Amino acid sequence: MNEQNKAKQPKTPSLGVALLALLCLIILLAVGIIIFGVDPHVPMFFGVCAAAVMALYLGYKWSQIETMMMDGIYKALQSICILIIVGILIGFWIDSGVVPAMIYYGLKILKPQIFFIAAVLICSITSLATGTSWGTMGTMGVALMGIGLGLGMNPAMTAGAIISGSYFGDKMSPLSDTTNLAPAMAGTDVMSHVKFMMLPTGITYAITLIFFGILGFTQYQGGSADLQSVQEFSAAIASQFNINPLLLLPPIIVIVAVAMKVPAIPGITLGIFAGAIVGLIFQQGDCTIGTLLDCGINGYVCETGNADIDGLLSTGGLLNMMFSVSMTIIAMMFGGIMVSTKALEVIVNVLKRFANSPAKLVTLTEITCLLSNATMPEQYISVVVPGQMYAEEYKKMGLHPTCCSNALEGAGTVTSALIPWNTCGVYIMTTLGIGVSQYLPFAIFNWLMPIMVIVMAFMGLTVADKDGVRLAKKRKENSK
């Protein structure tokens, strides 16, 4: 009888079977994204189907497979809730003039003598405000490329500055979908994730600014810049919104909330209410309770007459966030099956032989993210799949989940721009008119970030125990 029951138990997948399921996902995503140019959702769903077939082959019942998918989705529910709330926040912040004010004041810092630094800062502020590197490069980036041309700057250097600033903001903004996706995969919250990233990202960003500062002073020849596009951007924003420095209060409130360890959902919600209050005060007549509620669900529709600004600020809203929410749900369906059938465990057991220490595990995560960006050429996937592969390993090693989320963003988010056939590399080529091989040496933030995470991991600065204490601090205390 016991032998019969044992025979009915589902099998543990072999390495070949586990890799076949993952290979199916890679091929489906590559075909869908590269050949047909579609979004990753449906190819990812067919990857879920492949994983389900694998589970059936191993002897699992359909009811068990459904439970696996639901368990996977449940692990990401907090992130899904945050994504929904962030969608509402973006709609509120644009309607109230908060995001436009951040962009407006960002443009004011542009000076020809410090063009490259200004380009990094402007794109950083815009990307932090909107949570999108693509939107920033497609608007501010295009304008800055034209200004750089007028100054006689090297286009590859200009593109490197734009990309570095855009991805810094995308990586650190609580409004960014990848900034919410990474902690969801790792099993932590977005505020803890952002706070943990500050040290390695801040150092990398400082090096980036120094690099472009030196580069700017050596390249600038004293010519006169055509700042017309910047002036048009500022004028378009000022014509649509009443700009006031007090409109910067809501993002400051959110930053303070992060510093005070306020949980993600109430911290972001504080930003929503603060944005509504300043909007009702400063955008009288244009921003009302009715428009705020509408923008909260449908997003803001900008009509300044400037196509670039209208494209950047016509966004936000709960419904516009459904792209990221649905991607998260489908990805977690795949992850739920791969985890519950132990397929990922089988693959990771082979890989973790090379990662017998926290620093080596971080290094392996960075390499996997980079390879994911090359083989599954989509930024989201390069955060999701490595996150599902290694999240449990971080816990087993007694590390805090932010170590994993930091590693995922340290390579998954930023290296997507360094792969010519990745959707990000293709978008940059199309938008800025310059190829990866040209701007890669100057996209210093993007290629330095994963290196910095790895180096600081061996120093004990990007690895922390389950209580969140960095290993470098523990080593210092133990040495006393």
Side-chain angles (χ1 to χ4, degrees):
M1 188 71 176
N2 289 335
E3 291 182 0
Q4 290 180 345
N5 290 335
K6 186 176 180 180
K8 293 180 181 178
Q9 291 295 320
K11 297 180 292 184
T12 299
S14 63
L15 178 62
V17 171
L19 286 174
L20 181 61
L22 191 59
L23 184 62
C24 285
L25 175 67
I26 293 172
I27 293 173
L28 288 163
L29 287 168
V31 170
I33 295 170
I34 298 175
I35 297 179
F36 295 106
V38 299
D39 291 324
H41 299 64
V42 176
M44 187 81 194
F45 171 73
F46 288 127
V48 175
C49 295
V53 170
M54 177 199 68
L56 290 170
Y57 167 77
L58 295 173
Y60 289 93
K61 297 178 180 178
W62 178 249
S63 59
Q64 293 175 299
I65 297 172
E66 281 188 340
T67 301
M68 294 174 189
M69 292 188 289
M70 296 307 108
D71 287 344
I73 294 170
Y74 180 78
K75 292 177 181 178
L77 276 182
Q78 185 195 41
S79 178
I80 290 170
C81 292
I82 290 172
L83 284 170
I84 290 171
I85 296 171
V86 166
I88 296 171
L89 179 138
I90 295 173
F92 270 52
W93 275 16
I94 297 178
D95 189 38
S96 62
V98 173
V99 169
M102 294 175 72
I103 297 173
Y104 181 87
Y105 288 117
L107 289 172
K108 294 298 181 184
I109 67 175
L110 184 64
K111 302 294 181 184
Q113 293 80 1
I114 53 169
F115 172 74
F116 288 136
I117 290 182
V120 174
L121 292 173
I122 287 170
C123 290
S124 298
I125 293 169
T126 304
S127 192
L128 278 167
T130 60
T132 167
S133 56
W134 282 30
T136 299
M137 289 185 289
T139 52
M140 299 302 174
V142 171
L144 288 165
M145 287 296 290
I147 296 168
L149 186 63
L151 281 170
M153 298 296 191
N154 184 321
M157 297 177 183
T158 303
I162 292 167
I163 294 164
S164 294
S166 298
Y167 275 89
F168 166 77
D170 192 351
K171 183 177 185 292
M172 294 301 291
S173 174
L175 309 183
S176 169
D177 40 16
T178 55
T179 308
N180 285 276
L181 195 58
M185 297 303 105
T188 187
D189 64 273
V190 67
M191 295 305 189
S192 298
H193 169 58
V194 170
K195 186 175 181 181
F196 193 82
M197 288 196 298
M198 285 181 178
L199 179 61
T201 308
I203 293 174
T204 306
Y205 190 64
I207 294 172
T208 301
L209 290 175
I210 293 170
F211 172 83
F212 281 111
I214 296 172
L215 195 64
F217 282 111
T218 57
Q219 288 292 313
Y220 179 64
Q221 303 299 321
S224 60
D226 177 13
L227 301 178
Q228 182 179 356
S229 56
V230 173
Q231 293 168 354
E232 289 176 355
F233 269 48
S234 299
I237 292 173
S239 69
Q240 185 82 2
F241 303 93
N242 295 319
I243 303 299
N244 189 292
L246 292 178
L247 289 170
L248 301 179
L249 278 176
I252 293 173
I253 290 172
V254 173
I255 293 170
V256 171
V258 172
M260 295 179 66
K261 298 183 179 180
V262 175
I265 291 176
I268 297 172
T269 304
L270 279 174
I272 292 175
F273 284 110
I277 292 170
V278 296
L280 293 171
I281 294 173
F282 294 105
Q283 312 300 330
Q284 294 180 2
D286 295 320
C287 175
T288 66
I289 293 176
T291 62
L292 285 169
L293 295 176
D294 181 66
C295 292
I297 186 168
N298 296 311
Y300 184 83
V301 178
C302 189
E303 297 176 341
T304 64
N306 183 303
D308 291 330
I309 285 293
D310 291 346
L312 178 64
L313 296 182
S314 293
T315 185
L318 185 153
L319 295 180
N320 283 323
M321 195 58 76
M322 287 301 109
F323 181 96
S324 299
V325 169
S326 57
M327 181 66 212
T328 303
I329 291 173
I330 297 171
M332 294 310 292
M333 290 166 63
F334 176 82
I337 296 174
M338 293 292 284
V339 169
S340 297
T341 59
K342 298 185 178 180
L344 277 183
E345 183 179 332
V346 170
I347 297 172
V348 171
N349 282 340
V350 175
L351 294 174
K352 73 178 184 181
R353 297 172 189 170
F354 307 98
N356 53 8
S357 70
K360 290 181 180 179
L361 180 57
V362 170
T363 303
L364 180 60
T365 306
E366 299 292 271
I367 294 172
T368 305
C369 288
L370 177 59
L371 292 176
S372 296
N373 265 321
T375 59
M376 297 179 284
E378 167 58 48
Q379 186 184 58
Y380 297 111
I381 306 302
S382 301
V383 172
V384 170
V385 174
Q388 293 172 338
M389 290 175 66
Y390 300 122
E392 284 301 316
E393 290 306 308
Y394 281 85
K395 293 178 183 177
K396 290 178 182 178
M397 207 171 279
L399 301 175
H400 197 275
T402 50
C403 302
C404 179
S405 63
N406 175 62
L408 294 175
E409 282 244 78
T413 298
V414 299
T415 61
S416 58
L418 307 179
I419 309 296
W421 54 87
N422 188 285
T423 53
C424 295
V426 172
Y427 175 82
I428 293 169
M429 172 63 189
T430 304
T431 304
L432 301 184
I434 190 165
V436 173
S437 60
Q438 295 171 280
Y439 68 68
L440 190 149
F442 306 105
I444 183 170
F445 180 82
N446 297 65
W447 57 257
L448 182 60
M449 191 69 250
I451 296 173
M452 186 64 67
V453 171
I454 292 172
V455 170
M456 294 181 73
F458 281 95
M459 295 170 63
L461 294 170
T462 53
V463 283
D465 64 17
K466 61 183 179 180
D467 297 319
V469 180
R470 297 181 192 259
L471 297 192
K473 183 177 181 181
K474 293 183 70 174
R475 291 172 188 170
K476 186 175 180 180
E477 291 175 349
N478 293 335
S479 65
K480 291 181 180 180

